Coordinates of all heavy atoms in Angstrom, one line a residue:
Chain A
T1097 N 28.7 -14.0 13.8 CA 28.7 -12.6 14.2 C 27.6 -12.4 15.3 O 27.8 -11.5 16.1 CB 28.3 -11.7 13.0 OG1 27.3 -12.3 12.2 CG2 29.5 -11.5 12.1
H1123 N 28.7 8.3 45.1 CA 27.5 9.0 45.5 C 26.9 8.5 46.7 O 26.4 9.3 47.5 CB 26.5 8.8 44.3 CG 26.7 9.8 43.2 ND1 26.4 9.5 41.9 CD2 27.3 11.0 43.1 CE1 26.7 10.5 41.1 NE2 27.3 11.4 41.8
G1152 N 19.6 -20.8 18.4 CA 18.5 -21.2 19.2 C 17.7 -20.0 19.8 O 17.3 -19.1 19.1
Q1153 N 17.5 -20.0 21.1 CA 16.7 -19.0 21.8 C 17.5 -17.9 22.3 O 17.0 -17.1 23.1 CB 15.9 -19.6 22.9 CG 14.9 -20.8 22.5 CD 13.8 -20.2 21.6 OE1 13.9 -20.2 20.4 NE2 12.7 -19.9 22.2
D1155 N 18.5 -15.2 21.1 CA 18.0 -13.9 20.7 C 16.8 -13.5 21.5 O 16.5 -12.3 21.7 CB 17.8 -13.8 19.2 CG 16.8 -14.8 18.7 OD1 16.6 -15.8 19.5 OD2 16.3 -14.7 17.6
I1156 N 16.1 -14.4 22.0 CA 14.8 -14.1 22.7 C 15.1 -14.0 24.2 O 14.6 -13.0 24.8 CB 13.8 -15.2 22.4 CG1 13.3 -15.1 21.0 CG2 12.6 -15.2 23.4 CD1 12.5 -16.2 20.5
Y1159 N 20.9 -12.9 27.6 CA 22.1 -13.6 27.9 C 22.9 -12.9 29.0 O 23.9 -13.4 29.4 CB 22.9 -13.8 26.7 CG 23.2 -12.5 26.0 CD1 24.4 -11.8 26.3 CD2 22.3 -11.9 25.1 CE1 24.7 -10.6 25.7 CE2 22.6 -10.7 24.5 CZ 23.8 -10.1 24.8 OH 24.1 -8.9 24.2
L1160 N 22.4 -11.7 29.4 CA 23.1 -11.0 30.4 C 22.0 -10.4 31.4 O 21.1 -9.7 31.0 CB 23.8 -9.8 29.7 CG 24.8 -9.0 30.5 CD1 25.9 -9.9 31.1 CD2 25.4 -8.0 29.6
S1162 N 21.3 -8.3 34.9 CA 21.9 -7.4 35.9 C 20.9 -7.2 37.0 O 19.8 -6.7 36.7 CB 22.3 -6.1 35.3 OG 23.4 -6.3 34.4
Y1173 N 13.2 -11.4 35.1 CA 12.5 -11.6 33.8 C 12.7 -10.5 32.8 O 12.1 -10.5 31.7 CB 11.0 -11.9 34.0 CG 10.8 -13.0 35.1 CD1 10.2 -12.7 36.3 CD2 11.1 -14.3 34.8 CE1 10.0 -13.7 37.2 CE2 10.9 -15.3 35.7 CZ 10.4 -15.0 36.9 OH 10.2 -16.0 37.9
D1174 N 13.4 -9.4 33.2 CA 13.6 -8.3 32.3 C 14.3 -8.8 31.0 O 15.3 -9.5 31.1 CB 14.4 -7.2 33.0 CG 13.6 -6.4 33.9 OD1 12.3 -6.6 33.9 OD2 14.1 -5.5 34.6
T1175 N 13.7 -8.4 29.9 CA 14.3 -8.9 28.6 C 15.4 -7.9 28.2 O 15.5 -6.7 28.6 CB 13.2 -9.0 27.6 OG1 12.6 -7.7 27.5 CG2 12.3 -10.1 27.9
D1176 N 16.1 -8.3 27.2 CA 17.1 -7.4 26.6 C 16.3 -6.7 25.5 O 15.2 -7.0 25.2 CB 18.2 -8.3 25.9 CG 19.5 -7.4 25.8 OD1 19.4 -6.2 25.6 OD2 20.6 -8.0 25.8
I1177 N 17.0 -5.6 25.0 CA 16.4 -4.9 23.8 C 16.4 -5.8 22.6 O 17.4 -6.4 22.3 CB 17.3 -3.7 23.6 CG1 17.1 -2.7 24.7 CG2 17.0 -3.0 22.2 CD1 18.1 -1.5 24.6
N1179 N 14.5 -6.3 18.5 CA 13.6 -6.0 17.5 C 12.6 -7.1 17.2 O 13.0 -8.2 16.7 CB 14.4 -5.7 16.2 CG 13.5 -5.3 15.0 OD1 12.3 -5.3 15.1 ND2 14.1 -4.9 13.9
S1181 N 10.5 -7.8 15.1 CA 10.4 -8.2 13.7 C 11.5 -9.2 13.3 O 11.3 -10.2 12.6 CB 10.5 -7.0 12.7 OG 9.5 -6.1 13.0
S1182 N 12.7 -8.9 13.9 CA 13.8 -9.8 13.6 C 13.6 -11.1 14.3 O 13.9 -12.2 13.8 CB 15.1 -9.2 14.1 OG 15.3 -7.9 13.5
M1185 N 11.3 -13.3 12.2 CA 11.9 -13.9 11.0 C 12.9 -14.9 11.4 O 13.1 -15.9 10.6 CB 12.6 -12.8 10.2 CG 11.7 -11.7 9.7 SD 10.5 -12.2 8.4 CE 9.9 -10.7 7.9
N1187 N 16.9 -16.2 13.0 CA 18.3 -16.1 12.5 C 18.6 -17.0 11.4 O 18.0 -18.1 11.2 CB 19.2 -16.4 13.7 CG 19.2 -15.2 14.7 OD1 19.3 -14.1 14.3 ND2 19.1 -15.5 15.9
F1192 N 20.2 -23.9 10.7 CA 19.0 -23.6 9.8 C 19.3 -24.3 8.4 O 18.4 -24.9 7.8 CB 18.8 -22.1 9.7 CG 17.9 -21.7 8.6 CD1 16.5 -21.8 8.7 CD2 18.4 -21.2 7.4 CE1 15.7 -21.4 7.7 CE2 17.6 -20.8 6.4 CZ 16.2 -21.0 6.5
N1208 N 13.5 -37.5 -9.1 CA 13.1 -38.1 -10.4 C 14.1 -39.2 -10.8 O 14.3 -39.5 -12.0 CB 13.0 -37.0 -11.4 CG 14.3 -36.3 -11.6 OD1 15.3 -36.5 -10.9 ND2 14.4 -35.4 -12.5
N1296 N 6.4 -35.4 -11.5 CA 5.6 -34.3 -10.9 C 4.9 -34.8 -9.6 O 4.8 -34.0 -8.6 CB 4.5 -33.8 -11.9 CG 5.2 -33.0 -13.0 OD1 6.4 -32.7 -12.9 ND2 4.4 -32.8 -14.1
S1300 N 5.8 -33.1 -6.1 CA 4.7 -32.5 -5.3 C 4.6 -33.2 -3.9 O 4.5 -32.5 -2.9 CB 3.4 -32.6 -6.0 OG 3.5 -32.1 -7.3
A1310 N 8.3 -29.3 8.1 CA 9.1 -28.2 8.5 C 8.2 -26.9 8.8 O 8.7 -26.0 9.4 CB 10.1 -27.8 7.4
I1311 N 7.0 -27.0 8.4 CA 6.1 -25.8 8.7 C 4.8 -26.1 9.4 O 4.6 -25.8 10.5 CB 5.9 -25.0 7.4 CG1 7.2 -24.5 6.8 CG2 5.0 -23.8 7.7 CD1 7.1 -23.8 5.5
P1314 N 4.8 -28.5 12.9 CA 5.3 -27.7 14.1 C 4.4 -26.5 14.4 O 4.2 -26.2 15.6 CB 6.7 -27.3 13.7 CG 7.1 -28.1 12.6 CD 5.9 -28.6 11.9
A1315 N 4.0 -25.8 13.4 CA 3.1 -24.6 13.6 C 1.8 -25.0 14.2 O 1.3 -24.3 15.1 CB 2.9 -23.9 12.3
N1318 N 2.4 -25.8 17.8 CA 2.6 -24.6 18.6 C 1.3 -24.0 19.0 O 1.1 -23.6 20.2 CB 3.3 -23.6 17.8 CG 4.8 -23.6 18.1 OD1 5.2 -23.7 19.2 ND2 5.6 -23.5 17.1
L1319 N 0.4 -24.0 18.1 CA -0.9 -23.4 18.4 C -1.6 -24.2 19.5 O -2.2 -23.7 20.4 CB -1.8 -23.5 17.1 CG -3.0 -22.7 17.0 CD1 -2.7 -21.2 17.1 CD2 -3.8 -23.0 15.8
S1322 N 0.3 -23.6 22.9 CA 0.0 -22.4 23.6 C -1.5 -22.3 24.1 O -1.8 -21.7 25.1 CB 0.3 -21.2 22.8 OG -0.3 -21.2 21.5
A1323 N -2.3 -23.1 23.4 CA -3.7 -23.2 23.9 C -3.8 -24.1 25.1 O -4.5 -23.8 26.1 CB -4.7 -23.6 22.8
V1334 N 4.0 -11.2 38.4 CA 4.3 -9.8 38.4 C 3.4 -9.1 39.5 O 3.9 -8.3 40.3 CB 4.0 -9.1 37.1 CG1 4.5 -7.7 37.1 CG2 4.7 -9.9 36.0
R1338 N 4.8 -7.5 43.1 CA 4.7 -6.1 43.4 C 3.9 -5.8 44.7 O 4.2 -5.0 45.5 CB 4.0 -5.4 42.2 CG 3.5 -4.1 42.4 CD 3.1 -3.5 41.0 NE 2.3 -2.3 41.0 CZ 1.0 -2.3 40.9 NH1 0.3 -3.5 40.9 NH2 0.4 -1.2 40.8
Q1339 N 2.7 -6.5 44.8 CA 1.9 -6.3 45.9 C 2.5 -6.8 47.2 O 2.5 -6.1 48.2 CB 0.5 -7.1 45.7 CG -0.6 -6.6 46.5 CD -1.0 -5.2 46.2 OE1 -0.6 -4.6 45.1 NE2 -1.8 -4.6 47.0
H1342 N 5.0 -4.0 48.2 CA 4.5 -2.7 48.4 C 3.6 -2.5 49.6 O 3.6 -1.5 50.3 CB 3.9 -2.1 47.1 CG 4.9 -1.5 46.2 ND1 5.4 -0.2 46.4 CD2 5.6 -2.0 45.1 CE1 6.3 0.1 45.5 NE2 6.4 -1.0 44.7
W1345 N 4.6 -1.6 53.2 CA 4.9 -0.2 53.7 C 3.8 0.3 54.6 O 4.0 1.1 55.5 CB 5.0 0.7 52.5 CG 6.2 0.7 51.7 CD1 6.5 0.0 50.6 CD2 7.4 1.5 52.0 NE1 7.8 0.2 50.2 CE2 8.4 1.1 51.0 CE3 7.8 2.4 53.0 CZ2 9.6 1.7 50.9 CZ3 9.1 2.9 52.9 CH2 10.0 2.6 51.9
D1346 N 2.6 -0.2 54.4 CA 1.5 0.3 55.2 C 1.0 -0.6 56.3 O 0.0 -0.5 56.9 CB 0.3 0.5 54.2 CG 0.7 1.3 53.0 OD1 1.2 2.4 53.2 OD2 0.6 0.8 51.8
D1369 N 15.5 -1.8 65.1 CA 14.8 -0.8 65.9 C 13.4 -0.6 65.2 O 13.3 0.0 64.2 CB 15.6 0.5 65.8 CG 14.9 1.6 66.6 OD1 13.8 1.4 67.1 OD2 15.5 2.7 66.7
Q1371 N 11.0 1.1 66.3 CA 10.5 2.5 66.4 C 10.8 3.4 65.2 O 10.2 4.4 64.9 CB 11.0 3.1 67.7 CG 10.5 2.4 68.9 CD 9.0 2.1 68.9 OE1 8.2 3.0 68.7 NE2 8.6 0.9 69.2
T1373 N 11.1 5.0 61.8 CA 10.1 5.1 60.7 C 10.6 4.3 59.5 O 9.9 3.5 58.9 CB 9.9 6.5 60.2 OG1 9.7 7.3 61.4 CG2 8.7 6.6 59.3
R1404 N 5.5 -27.8 29.0 CA 5.6 -27.5 27.6 C 6.8 -28.2 27.0 O 6.8 -28.7 25.9 CB 5.9 -26.0 27.5 CG 4.6 -25.2 27.6 CD 4.8 -23.7 27.4 NE 3.6 -23.0 27.1 CZ 3.4 -22.0 26.3 NH1 4.5 -21.5 25.7 NH2 2.3 -21.4 26.1
A1408 N 6.8 -31.0 24.1 CA 7.6 -30.8 22.8 C 8.6 -32.0 22.6 O 8.7 -32.5 21.5 CB 8.5 -29.6 22.9
L1422 N 15.5 -29.3 18.2 CA 15.6 -29.2 19.6 C 16.9 -29.9 20.2 O 17.5 -29.4 21.1 CB 14.4 -29.9 20.2 CG 13.0 -29.2 19.9 CD1 11.9 -29.9 20.7 CD2 13.0 -27.8 20.3
Chain B
N433 N -7.5 -18.7 21.5 CA -6.3 -18.1 22.1 C -6.4 -16.7 22.3 O -6.0 -16.2 23.4 CB -5.1 -18.4 21.2 CG -4.4 -19.7 21.5 OD1 -4.8 -20.4 22.3 ND2 -3.3 -19.9 20.7
V448 N -5.3 -4.7 38.7 CA -4.3 -3.7 38.9 C -5.0 -2.4 39.4 O -4.6 -1.7 40.3 CB -3.5 -3.4 37.6 CG1 -2.8 -2.1 37.7 CG2 -2.6 -4.6 37.4
Q451 N -6.4 -2.7 42.9 CA -5.3 -2.6 43.9 C -4.8 -1.2 44.0 O -4.5 -0.7 45.1 CB -4.2 -3.5 43.5 CG -4.5 -5.0 43.8 CD -3.3 -5.9 43.4 OE1 -2.4 -5.5 42.8 NE2 -3.4 -7.1 43.9
P456 N -3.9 2.5 50.8 CA -4.3 3.4 51.9 C -3.6 4.8 51.7 O -2.9 5.0 50.8 CB -3.7 2.7 53.1 CG -2.6 1.8 52.6 CD -3.0 1.4 51.2
K458 N -1.1 7.5 51.9 CA 0.4 7.4 52.0 C 1.0 8.5 51.3 O 0.4 9.4 50.7 CB 0.9 6.0 51.4 CG 0.6 5.7 50.0 CD 1.4 4.5 49.5 CE 0.7 3.2 49.8 NZ 1.4 2.1 49.3
R462 N 5.5 7.3 47.4 CA 5.4 5.9 47.5 C 4.5 5.3 46.4 O 4.7 4.2 45.9 CB 4.8 5.5 48.9 CG 5.7 5.7 50.1 CD 6.2 4.4 50.6 NE 6.5 3.4 49.6 CZ 7.5 3.4 48.8 NH1 8.5 4.3 49.0 NH2 7.7 2.5 47.9
H465 N 6.2 4.9 43.2 CA 7.0 3.7 43.1 C 6.2 2.5 43.1 O 6.6 1.4 42.6 CB 8.0 3.7 44.2 CG 9.3 4.4 43.9 ND1 10.2 4.0 42.9 CD2 9.8 5.6 44.3 CE1 11.1 4.8 42.8 NE2 10.9 5.9 43.6
Y466 N 5.0 2.6 43.7 CA 4.1 1.4 43.6 C 3.7 1.2 42.2 O 3.7 0.1 41.7 CB 2.8 1.8 44.4 CG 1.8 0.7 44.3 CD1 2.0 -0.5 44.9 CD2 0.6 0.9 43.7 CE1 1.0 -1.5 44.8 CE2 -0.4 -0.1 43.6 CZ -0.2 -1.3 44.2 OH -1.1 -2.3 44.1
G467 N 3.6 2.3 41.5 CA 3.4 2.3 40.0 C 2.2 1.6 39.5 O 1.3 1.4 40.2
L469 N 0.8 -1.5 36.5 CA 1.2 -2.5 35.5 C 0.3 -2.4 34.3 O -0.9 -2.2 34.4 CB 0.9 -3.9 36.1 CG 1.9 -4.4 37.2 CD1 1.4 -5.6 37.9 CD2 3.3 -4.7 36.5
S501 N 11.3 -2.9 30.8 CA 11.1 -3.6 29.6 C 9.8 -4.3 29.6 O 9.2 -4.6 30.6 CB 12.2 -4.6 29.4 OG 12.3 -5.5 30.5
N503 N 7.8 -7.4 29.3 CA 8.3 -8.8 29.5 C 7.3 -9.9 29.2 O 6.1 -9.6 28.9 CB 8.7 -9.0 31.0 CG 9.9 -8.2 31.3 OD1 10.7 -7.8 30.5 ND2 10.1 -7.9 32.6
F504 N 7.7 -11.1 29.2 CA 6.9 -12.3 29.1 C 6.2 -12.4 27.7 O 5.0 -12.4 27.6 CB 5.8 -12.3 30.2 CG 6.3 -12.4 31.6 CD1 6.0 -11.5 32.5 CD2 7.1 -13.5 31.9 CE1 6.6 -11.6 33.8 CE2 7.6 -13.6 33.2 CZ 7.4 -12.7 34.1
E506 N 5.3 -14.7 24.5 CA 5.1 -16.1 24.3 C 6.3 -16.9 23.9 O 6.6 -18.0 24.3 CB 4.0 -16.3 23.2 CG 3.6 -17.7 22.9 CD 2.9 -18.4 24.0 OE1 2.2 -17.7 24.8 OE2 3.0 -19.6 24.1
F509 N 8.5 -18.4 26.5 CA 8.0 -19.6 27.1 C 8.2 -20.8 26.2 O 7.7 -21.9 26.4 CB 6.5 -19.5 27.5 CG 6.2 -18.4 28.4 CD1 5.1 -17.6 28.2 CD2 7.0 -18.1 29.5 CE1 4.8 -16.5 29.0 CE2 6.7 -17.1 30.4 CZ 5.6 -16.3 30.1
S510 N 8.9 -20.5 25.0 CA 8.9 -21.6 24.0 C 10.3 -22.2 24.0 O 11.3 -21.5 24.2 CB 8.6 -21.1 22.7 OG 9.0 -22.0 21.7
N511 N 10.4 -23.5 23.7 CA 11.8 -24.1 23.7 C 12.3 -24.2 22.3 O 13.1 -25.0 22.0 CB 11.7 -25.4 24.4 CG 10.9 -26.4 23.6 OD1 10.1 -26.0 22.8 ND2 11.0 -27.7 23.9
M513 N 10.4 -24.6 19.4 CA 9.5 -25.1 18.4 C 8.8 -23.9 17.7 O 8.5 -24.0 16.5 CB 8.5 -26.0 19.0 CG 8.1 -27.1 18.2 SD 7.3 -28.4 19.1 CE 5.7 -27.7 19.5
L514 N 8.7 -22.8 18.4 CA 8.0 -21.7 17.8 C 8.7 -21.1 16.6 O 8.1 -20.5 15.7 CB 8.0 -20.6 18.9 CG 7.1 -19.4 18.7 CD1 5.6 -19.8 18.6 CD2 7.2 -18.4 19.8
R515 N 10.0 -21.5 16.5 CA 10.8 -21.0 15.4 C 10.4 -21.5 14.1 O 10.7 -21.0 13.0 CB 12.3 -21.3 15.6 CG 13.0 -20.3 16.5 CD 12.4 -19.0 16.2 NE 12.7 -17.8 16.9 CZ 13.8 -17.3 17.3 NH1 14.9 -18.0 17.4 NH2 13.9 -16.1 17.8
F516 N 9.6 -22.6 14.1 CA 9.1 -23.2 12.8 C 7.9 -22.4 12.4 O 7.4 -22.5 11.3 CB 8.7 -24.6 13.0 CG 9.8 -25.6 13.2 CD1 10.2 -26.0 14.5 CD2 10.5 -26.1 12.1 CE1 11.3 -26.9 14.7 CE2 11.5 -27.0 12.3 CZ 11.9 -27.3 13.6
G517 N 7.3 -21.6 13.2 CA 6.1 -20.8 12.9 C 4.9 -21.2 13.7 O 5.0 -22.1 14.5
L519 N 0.6 -21.8 13.4 CA -0.4 -21.9 12.5 C -1.5 -20.9 12.7 O -2.0 -20.8 13.8 CB -1.1 -23.3 12.6 CG -2.2 -23.6 11.6 CD1 -1.6 -23.9 10.2 CD2 -3.0 -24.8 12.0
M523 N -1.1 -17.6 8.0 CA 0.0 -18.5 7.5 C -0.5 -19.4 6.4 O 0.1 -19.6 5.4 CB 0.5 -19.3 8.7 CG 1.7 -20.1 8.3 SD 2.1 -21.2 9.7 CE 2.5 -22.6 8.7
F535 N 0.6 -26.1 -7.5 CA 0.4 -27.5 -7.8 C -0.7 -27.6 -8.9 O -0.7 -28.5 -9.7 CB 0.0 -28.3 -6.6 CG 1.2 -28.6 -5.7 CD1 1.1 -28.5 -4.3 CD2 2.4 -28.9 -6.3 CE1 2.3 -28.8 -3.6 CE2 3.5 -29.2 -5.5 CZ 3.4 -29.2 -4.2
Y538 N 0.8 -25.3 -12.4 CA 2.1 -25.3 -13.1 C 2.0 -25.8 -14.5 O 2.8 -25.4 -15.4 CB 3.1 -26.2 -12.3 CG 2.9 -27.7 -12.4 CD1 3.5 -28.4 -13.4 CD2 2.0 -28.3 -11.5 CE1 3.3 -29.8 -13.5 CE2 1.8 -29.7 -11.6 CZ 2.5 -30.4 -12.6 OH 2.3 -31.7 -12.7
R635 N 7.5 -30.1 -16.5 CA 8.4 -30.4 -15.4 C 9.3 -29.2 -15.0 O 9.4 -28.8 -13.8 CB 9.3 -31.6 -15.7 CG 9.6 -32.3 -14.4 CD 10.3 -33.6 -14.7 NE 11.8 -33.3 -14.8 CZ 12.6 -34.2 -15.3 NH1 12.2 -35.3 -15.8 NH2 13.9 -33.8 -15.4
I646 N 10.2 -21.7 -2.5 CA 11.1 -21.9 -1.4 C 12.0 -20.7 -1.2 O 12.1 -20.2 -0.1 CB 12.0 -23.1 -1.7 CG1 11.2 -24.4 -1.6 CG2 13.2 -23.2 -0.7 CD1 11.9 -25.6 -2.3
R654 N 14.3 -14.4 5.9 CA 15.3 -14.5 6.9 C 16.6 -13.7 6.5 O 17.2 -13.0 7.3 CB 15.7 -15.9 7.1 CG 14.8 -16.7 8.1 CD 15.4 -18.0 8.4 NE 14.4 -18.9 9.0 CZ 14.6 -19.5 10.2 NH1 15.7 -19.3 10.8 NH2 13.6 -20.2 10.7
Q657 N 16.1 -9.9 6.6 CA 16.1 -9.4 8.0 C 17.5 -9.5 8.6 O 18.0 -8.6 9.3 CB 15.1 -10.2 8.8 CG 14.7 -9.5 10.1 CD 14.0 -8.2 10.0 OE1 13.3 -8.0 9.0 NE2 14.2 -7.3 10.9
N661 N 19.8 -6.5 10.1 CA 20.4 -6.5 11.5 C 21.9 -6.3 11.4 O 22.6 -5.7 12.3 CB 20.2 -7.8 12.2 CG 18.7 -8.1 12.5 OD1 17.9 -7.2 12.3 ND2 18.4 -9.3 12.8
Q662 N 22.5 -6.8 10.3 CA 23.9 -6.7 10.1 C 24.4 -5.3 9.8 O 25.3 -4.8 10.3 CB 24.3 -7.7 9.0 CG 25.8 -8.1 9.0 CD 25.9 -9.2 10.1 OE1 25.0 -9.8 10.6 NE2 27.2 -9.4 10.5
S668 N 22.8 -3.4 22.8 CA 22.2 -4.2 23.9 C 21.8 -3.4 25.0 O 22.1 -2.2 25.1 CB 23.3 -5.2 24.3 OG 22.8 -6.1 25.2
K669 N 21.1 -3.9 25.9 CA 20.4 -3.1 27.0 C 21.4 -2.4 27.9 O 21.3 -1.3 28.2 CB 19.6 -4.1 27.8 CG 18.7 -3.3 28.8 CD 17.7 -4.3 29.3 CE 17.0 -3.9 30.5 NZ 16.1 -5.0 31.0
I670 N 22.5 -3.2 28.3 CA 23.4 -2.6 29.3 C 24.1 -1.3 28.8 O 24.1 -0.3 29.4 CB 24.3 -3.6 29.9 CG1 23.5 -4.5 30.8 CG2 25.5 -3.1 30.6 CD1 24.2 -5.6 31.5
F672 N 23.1 0.5 26.3 CA 22.0 1.4 26.0 C 21.7 2.2 27.3 O 21.6 3.5 27.2 CB 20.7 0.6 25.5 CG 19.5 1.5 25.3 CD1 19.4 2.3 24.1 CD2 18.4 1.4 26.1 CE1 18.3 3.0 23.9 CE2 17.3 2.2 25.9 CZ 17.2 3.0 24.8
D685 N 22.3 15.8 37.9 CA 22.0 14.6 38.7 C 21.3 15.1 39.9 O 21.8 15.7 40.8 CB 23.3 13.9 39.0 CG 23.1 12.6 39.7 OD1 21.9 12.4 40.1 OD2 24.1 11.9 39.9
F744 N 15.7 0.1 14.7 CA 14.9 -1.1 14.4 C 14.2 -0.9 13.0 O 14.1 -1.8 12.2 CB 13.9 -1.4 15.5 CG 14.5 -1.9 16.7 CD1 13.8 -1.8 17.9 CD2 15.7 -2.6 16.7 CE1 14.4 -2.3 19.1 CE2 16.3 -3.1 17.8 CZ 15.6 -3.0 19.0
Q747 N 16.5 -1.6 10.4 CA 16.7 -3.0 10.2 C 15.6 -3.6 9.4 O 15.8 -4.4 8.5 CB 16.8 -3.7 11.6 CG 18.0 -3.4 12.4 CD 18.0 -4.1 13.7 OE1 17.0 -4.6 14.2 NE2 19.2 -4.1 14.4
N748 N 14.4 -3.1 9.7 CA 13.2 -3.7 9.0 C 13.1 -3.2 7.5 O 12.4 -3.7 6.7 CB 11.9 -3.3 9.7 CG 11.9 -3.9 11.1 OD1 12.7 -4.8 11.4 ND2 11.0 -3.4 12.0
E811 N 13.5 10.9 62.6 CA 13.7 9.5 62.4 C 12.6 8.6 63.0 O 12.3 7.6 62.4 CB 15.1 9.1 63.0 CG 15.7 8.0 62.2 CD 17.1 7.6 62.8 OE1 17.3 7.6 64.0 OE2 18.0 7.4 62.0
H812 N 12.0 9.0 64.1 CA 11.0 8.2 64.7 C 9.6 8.7 64.5 O 8.6 8.2 65.0 CB 11.3 8.0 66.2 CG 12.5 7.1 66.4 ND1 13.7 7.7 66.6 CD2 12.6 5.8 66.5 CE1 14.6 6.7 66.8 NE2 13.9 5.5 66.7
E813 N 9.5 9.8 63.7 CA 8.1 10.4 63.4 C 7.5 9.6 62.3 O 8.1 9.0 61.5 CB 8.3 11.8 63.0 CG 8.2 12.8 64.2 CD 8.4 14.2 63.8 OE1 8.5 14.5 62.6 OE2 8.5 15.0 64.7
P815 N 5.7 9.2 58.8 CA 5.9 9.9 57.5 C 4.7 10.7 57.1 O 3.6 10.5 57.5 CB 6.1 8.7 56.5 CG 5.4 7.5 57.1 CD 5.5 7.7 58.6

Side-chain angles (χ1 to χ4, degrees):
Chain A
T1097 42
H1123 280 151
Q1153 300 294 88
D1155 53 345
I1156 286 168
Y1159 55 94
L1160 190 57
S1162 292
Y1173 307 110
D1174 281 353
T1175 52
D1176 203 333
I1177 289 170
N1179 179 357
S1181 303
S1182 303
M1185 299 291 190
N1187 284 316
F1192 167 78
N1208 61 358
N1296 289 348
S1300 305
I1311 300 178
N1318 262 321
L1319 194 66
S1322 50
V1334 186
R1338 166 169 167 267
Q1339 200 66 13
H1342 274 279
W1345 281 95
D1346 310 304
D1369 181 357
Q1371 297 310 312
T1373 313
R1404 282 180 163 216
L1422 295 187
Chain B
N433 269 2
V448 166
Q451 288 182 344
K458 61 167 85 178
R462 288 252 37 79
H465 275 289
Y466 177 68
L469 283 169
S501 54
N503 294 337
F504 296 122
E506 181 64 31
F509 302 134
S510 165
N511 63 344
M513 216 163 70
L514 193 61
R515 278 325 179 34
F516 289 97
L519 185 73
M523 187 189 140
F535 283 141
Y538 74 92
R635 212 175 85 196
I646 290 161
R654 276 189 195 236
Q657 197 63 32
N661 296 349
Q662 205 74 17
S668 185
K669 190 167 164 187
I670 288 184
F672 177 76
D685 185 349
F744 286 159
Q747 292 181 344
N748 299 345
E811 215 176 38
H812 290 94
E813 267 177 11

